[in-house]
Structure formats: C-alpha cells, structure tokens
Amino acid sequence: GQPLDETCTCFLRDGKAYCKRDYSRLFGIKCAQCRAAFSSSDLVMRARDHVYHLECFRCAACGRQLLPGDQFCLRERDLLCRADHGPPPDGPRSP
C-alpha cells in the first residue's frame, strides 16, 4: 500500500509493483534457520544450498555457534558440529 514514486525503490514481478521491503520479504532469500530475510549488510554462512545469518549458524544438538573452518555436517535441515555428528563414515575410528 506504500505509494511508489521517485523517492522509493520499487521492483516489478509478474506485472505487479512492490516496494523494496515487501519484495525482499516475499521473494528474497531467507535464512534456513530463522526464516527471516537478509539485509544487504548481513554476513552469511552457506551450507550446500542453504544460507544462514551468522548467529543462526549453530549446531542443532548442542547450540554451539559454528565458525568458518569448523567441521560440521548437514542432515536434512539440521547443522551438526563434529562432536555431535561423529567422525566421517570412512574416517579413523577410536579403538
């Protein structure tokens, strides 16, 4: 319902005009964890085709925030840190 004029950035999709806020809300990429949209200043983490806010990139089991370089696995939609997903199936095993 916002008036669209020369002071407002707008986007067209399927013949309809949207203000920037509504276009991002409806069609923009959303965080795989919190489902909120990203702002242009957000730093993100990626796992396969999922994108996360930095603060949302956490182990689903223990809640530890995963940082760049941390080993993790993605099971369905759940991120798991190395401690919670264990060694890779073909990796070394403890005696």
Side-chain angles (χ1 to χ4, degrees), residues 1 12 14-15 26 32 36-38 47 55 57-60 64 66 68 70 75 82 86 88 91-92:
L12 292 175
D14 300 327
L26 294 168
F38 296 99
E55 61 274 6
F57 199 69
R58 297 180 172 276
C59 176
R64 184 173 72 83
L66 299 167
D70 286 348
R75 288 197 187 136
R82 179 167 177 103

Side-chain angles (χ1 to χ4, degrees), residues 17 28 34 61 64-65 72 75 78 92:
C34 72
R64 184 173 72 83
Q65 186 171 13
F72 67 92
R75 288 197 187 136
D78 290 335

Side-chain angles (χ1 to χ4, degrees), residues 19-78:
C19 66
K20 184 177 182 177
R21 184 190 67 208
D22 285 340
Y23 186 86
S24 292
R25 180 178 56 84
L26 294 168
F27 306 111
I29 296 172
K30 309 247 183 337
C31 175
Q33 180 62 35
C34 72
R35 306 301 301 156
F38 296 99
S39 73
S40 59
S41 63
D42 285 338
L43 298 175
V44 300
M45 297 289 283
R46 295 177 185 272
R48 293 194 191 128
D49 57 344
H50 302 289
V51 184
Y52 300 83
H53 293 106
L54 286 181
E55 61 274 6
C56 295
F57 199 69
R58 297 180 172 276
C59 176
C62 69
R64 184 173 72 83
Q65 186 171 13
L66 299 167
L67 302 172
D70 286 348
Q71 291 185 352
F72 67 92
C73 80
L74 182 63
R75 288 197 187 136
E76 309 244 342
R77 296 186 64 85
D78 290 335

Side-chain angles (χ1 to χ4, degrees), residues 2 4 13-14 16 19 29 47 63 71 74 79 84 87 90:
Q2 177 180 346
L4 301 175
R13 182 165 176 153
D14 300 327
K16 295 180 182 176
C19 66
I29 296 172
Q71 291 185 352
L74 182 63
L79 291 167
D84 288 316
D90 59 349

